[in-house]
Amino acid sequence: MCGIVGYVGQRRATPVLLEGLRRLEYRGYDSAGIALAGSPVQVHRSVGRVADLRGVVPEGLTPKTGIAHTRWATHGGVTLENAHPHVAGGGKLALVHNGIIENASVLRASLRAEGVVFESETDTEVLAHLIAKCLEGEGDPLAAVTAALQLVRGTWGIAVIFSALPDTIIAARNGSPLVLGLGEGETFLASDPHALVPYTRRVVYLQDGDVARIQSSGIETTTLDGAPRSRVVETLEAEWAEAEKGDYPNFMLKEIHEQPAALRRCLSGRVVVQEGRANLGGLELSSRELNAFRRVGLIGCGTAHYACRVGAMAIEQLARVPATAEVASEFRHRNPVIDPKSLYFAVSQSGETADTLGALKEVQIKGGHVMGVVNVVGSSIARQCGNGVYIHSGPEMAVASTKAFSNMIASLYLFTLQLARARTLAPYEGRDFAQGLMDVPDLVEGFLAKKLDVARVVEWLSECRSVLFMGRGLSEAVAAEGALKLMELTYIPCLAYASGEMKHGPIALLEEGSVVIVVAPDDEVRDKTLSNLQECRARGARVVLIHTEGDPIAEEADFAIAVPKTSRWFTPFLTVLPLQLLAYETALAMGRDIDRPRNLAKSVTVE
Ligand code: M6R
């Protein structure tokens, strides 16, 4: 989603800002721009990629202070006028903004009545003019920003430069992340630490309600009421340095192949196989407390939600605690009953997904107990929860989530083991589960090491009007994840159904040549899925089957892909791999943008 970069220091700001924007490209955007200190402030914007912006920014610009933005359209279409930064006060200030100003239309009307002329349709321009108005009254830029923010409702991560203050950026946060990077005689600002990695590891995460004065000599943070607020300087984790493509053609392929290493990192130090138990220190829960929970609720969006569905099945069946997986955007708005004796998990790769954050706050407001299962350390969800589990996938840059899915399941399985052993699971059962989990990275590595030739399936899929995915039990969630991957990367409509539901509707879609992707590892529901597979073939569909190595079920398919044998709980780690690769290869063959599919953003920070 939208990205912010800012710089104030001794270097020329433009190259730092453009490189920062390039590093945030993975988040998804449709226009970009920079503003540089001066009188008036100067702004350069373009629709399209950061490379297009480079083309319109003049060479050799000397200002040493500036802000920059990549915009993912929400209020208003993808136009040059709507691109940030927005200027107000006749060039006295320029503003970049992530988030949404909810009362923008009312404020726009009253500013218009006072004679303000708007150039864009954006809520951000409203805030820019509001700050300019406050500046007329207050005189001081920081006071003007805080006064304007008192008048708006909504979410923001903002950075503002003023013609009167060439060595200063004013930033503020409420619901949209901002992180400051501290260098020697220079200070950086970004919506995502990835933009800071080349310059510094010393960072300060702004919190909701913070306002910061950012100068080359350092930073000062206050509340919106002007009260001083000290913030700790943290060190950016080494994992952020991994976030370059290396020898891979794109991030998605790199991230698929990183799964064994990412899984090892997630499991490392958290499993005691001999005792058949796991220990997630970040939860800070004793066995007594684990025993007291009556239910577990897992909340997430998209891929995270599918990982939650796998996790919920494991928790319920192994720990014998009722568990549900919920779509965060539904959960937060349905006025859920929160049982204080339940434990909730907010599951998110980015840790910034607005719906998941909203849902967890709803749990907290109602007195519930919620923890994070998050990848990005220090992200909003991780901070809001306080306690939780980091999944340690390392930076995931491709919009299509892959390694985070595996690590979310691994993390939820670690919790399952900890919970189940504290309740009903016998040591020998715990040992089997722990050993099975520890074996997963090698199995994943073994599968990924072999070349998967799916050219024939790619040809079928590229010509499909729609694709059906099906599976049962754990494989139903995997099928849903496979459908999401293929759909978001190729734009082919994909439906995922529980195999048993096919005959209640979706089977009507099938005709000669339709493609059905069936996930049927050798588990206790395999035979049931086999019947559904046969029903599809009988209606002329071509069946692509993901199955366990050596299983004769392969003969029932038009195209069969074998994955290594493992016990049922660990099949999702393996059956998802061919689905990720099929989506990848098909998108490649169709000439799609692999890392940045259209209309999508990596972290969805709006509702
Ligand atoms: O960062 P999160 O895990 O909270 O993101 C949730 C979804 O937006 C995300 O999984 C999305 O569905 C991906 N594009 C799926 O590949």
Side-chain angles (χ1 to χ4, degrees):
M1 199 134 275
C2 307
I4 288 177
V5 185
Y7 176 75
V8 43
Q10 316 308 322
R11 321 180 196 208
R12 291 194 300 117
T14 312
V16 178
L17 297 175
L18 290 172
E19 172 58 11
L21 290 186
R22 185 195 70 76
R23 296 178 71 86
L24 297 187
E25 278 191 303
Y26 77 98
R27 296 169 67 95
Y29 68 102
D30 32 49
S31 60
I34 64 169
L36 298 164
S39 192
V41 291
Q42 58 171 303
V43 170
H44 305 279
R45 299 180 294 186
S46 75
V47 168
R49 298 295 188 203
V50 172
D52 300 310
L53 178 65
R54 276 183 199 277
V56 303
V57 175
E59 293 282 324
L61 295 171
T62 53
K64 293 176 177 159
T65 301
I67 54 177
H69 192 260
T70 44
R71 171 176 187 255
W72 189 82
T74 53
H75 281 55
V78 182
T79 64
L80 197 60
E81 292 72 29
N82 289 339
H84 299 204
H86 289 287
V87 176
K92 286 203 178 110
L93 68 96
L95 162 74
V96 293
H97 164 227
N98 286 354
I100 290 181
I101 304 301
E102 287 163 5
N103 54 343
S105 30
V106 180
L107 293 168
R108 183 191 297 270
S110 67
L111 286 164
R112 263 206 188 113
E114 290 179 47
V116 172
V117 177
F118 285 86
E119 288 179 357
S120 77
E121 307 156 90
T122 63
D123 53 340
T124 301
E125 193 189 354
V126 173
L127 180 56
H129 287 298
L130 205 58
I131 297 173
K133 278 276 164 207
C134 293
L135 191 61
E136 285 169 15
E138 302 280 349
D140 170 53
L142 191 134
V145 170
T146 49
L149 290 175
Q150 316 272 7
L151 302 174
V152 299
R153 238 189 15 250
T155 54
W156 58 82
I158 59 167
V160 202
I161 55 169
F162 293 86
S163 57
L165 288 180
D167 180 39
T168 304
I169 300 172
I170 306 291
R173 170 191 164 139
N174 182 46
S176 283
L178 282 179
V179 53
L180 312 183
L182 309 180
E184 294 300 322
E186 55 186 357
T187 311
F188 305 81
L189 158 79
S191 50
D192 168 334
H194 185 49
L196 307 180
V197 169
Y199 309 106
T200 182
R201 286 285 168 83
R202 296 174 59 231
V203 296
V204 171
Y205 291 93
L206 292 188
Q207 301 300 303
D208 284 351
D210 282 357
V211 181
R213 187 196 303 273
I214 303 165
Q215 296 181 302
S216 54
S217 52
I219 60 166
E220 258 172 63
T221 46
T222 63
T223 62
L224 269 180
D225 307 326
R229 205 179 227 188
S230 66
R231 291 282 168 230
V232 268
V233 179
E234 298 180 38
T235 305
L236 216 51
E237 312 72 46
E239 282 167 19
W240 282 100
E242 284 175 24
E244 288 297 320
K245 283 196 279 247
D247 293 335
Y248 285 93
N250 46 56
F251 280 113
M252 185 181 177
L253 192 62
K254 175 177 180 248
E255 288 158 9
I256 290 173
H257 283 274
E258 279 174 347
Q259 284 174 105
L263 281 163
R264 285 187 188 110
R265 198 159 47 216
C266 176
L267 300 175
S268 165
R270 290 169 158 179
V271 183
V272 187
V273 176
Q274 277 316 307
E275 295 170 30
R277 64 178 178 87
N279 183 29
L280 292 167
L283 299 182
E284 293 182 20
L285 288 174
S286 64
S287 292
R288 184 188 291 259
E289 286 165 315
L290 285 168
N291 261 295
F293 290 119
R294 287 201 292 231
R295 307 187 69 84
V296 176
L298 307 176
I299 308 167
C301 301
T303 290
H305 170 67
Y306 298 134
C308 289
R309 272 159 56 173
V310 173
M313 280 183 246
I315 291 166
E316 185 149 316
Q317 292 179 41
L318 291 168
R320 306 309 297 161
V321 182
T324 48
E326 306 254 13
V327 171
S329 56
E330 287 297 312
F331 180 87
R332 66 181 296 199
H333 293 300
R334 70 168 167 79
N335 193 16
V337 174
I338 304 297
D339 174 0
K341 291 224 168 107
S342 291
L343 176 61
Y344 291 86
F345 284 103
V347 182
S348 173
Q349 186 286 128
S350 62
E352 300 296 346
T353 300
D355 284 317
T356 311
L357 189 56
L360 88 84
K361 286 181 180 166
E362 185 63 19
V363 175
Q364 289 175 332
I365 284 167
K366 291 188 165 142
H369 208 78
V370 59
M371 302 204 173
V373 175
V374 171
N375 190 33
V376 178
V377 177
S379 56
S380 303
I381 292 175
R383 281 164 189 274
Q384 183 70 30
C385 289
N387 286 77
V389 185
Y390 280 120
I391 68 172
H392 294 308
S393 298
E396 191 182 68
M397 313 301 281
V399 164
S401 189
T402 52
K403 59 179 180 170
F405 177 72
S406 307
N407 276 31
M408 283 168 184
I409 297 177
S411 304
L412 291 172
Y413 277 10
L414 288 170
F415 171 70
T416 303
L417 185 55
Q418 188 167 345
L419 182 69
R421 285 287 284 116
R423 298 172 76 115
T424 53
L425 206 69
Y428 72 92
E429 292 170 310
R431 258 194 306 277
D432 285 353
F433 190 84
Q435 188 58 59
L437 190 53
M438 294 304 280
D439 290 343
V440 166
D442 287 353
L443 295 175
V444 169
E445 193 161 61
F447 179 84
L448 290 173
K450 293 189 200 139
K451 168 118 187 69
L452 186 66
D453 184 1
V454 287
R456 196 146 67 94
V457 183
V458 167
E459 211 172 293
W460 296 343
L461 291 174
S462 317
E463 287 162 10
C464 273
R465 283 188 296 166
S466 62
V467 182
L468 268 172
F469 285 71
M470 68 179 193
R472 278 175 190 263
L474 298 164
S475 300
E476 191 248 329
V478 176
E481 169 62 4
L484 173 60
K485 281 303 80 103
L486 186 65
M487 183 163 59
E488 68 181 331
L489 286 172
T490 63
Y491 322 143
I492 301 169
C494 295
L495 268 184
Y497 260 86
S499 309
E501 279 289 293
M502 293 299 280
K503 53 190 173 299
H504 299 290
I507 205 163
L509 288 178
L510 299 185
E511 55 192 4
E512 204 60 43
S514 300
V515 177
V516 180
I517 300 188
V518 181
V519 186
D522 188 7
D523 58 17
E524 78 292 357
V525 287
R526 166 227 188 249
D527 292 349
K528 299 264 178 231
T529 305
L530 175 58
S531 310
N532 306 126
L533 178 163
Q534 283 156 343
E535 287 156 11
C536 295
R537 282 195 88 193
R539 282 150 187 90
R542 286 188 284 217
V543 168
V544 178
L545 174 69
I546 317 299
H547 68 96
T548 302
E549 235 162 40
D551 186 341
I553 194 175
E555 288 155 25
E556 306 288 334
D558 297 274
F559 193 97
I561 304 174
V563 298
K565 190 168 177 52
T566 176
S567 77
R568 66 179 280 238
W569 289 112
F570 309 112
T571 56
F573 295 106
L574 295 155
T575 52
V576 78
L577 302 174
L579 300 182
Q580 293 169 343
L581 289 165
L582 267 181
Y584 173 81
E585 294 290 347
T586 311
L588 205 60
M590 294 173 79
R592 302 300 193 219
D593 187 336
I594 300 283
D595 285 339
R596 291 191 295 273
R598 71 180 181 203
N599 303 337
L600 291 174
K602 181 62 183 163
S603 86
V604 184
T605 50
V606 290
E607 284 185 53

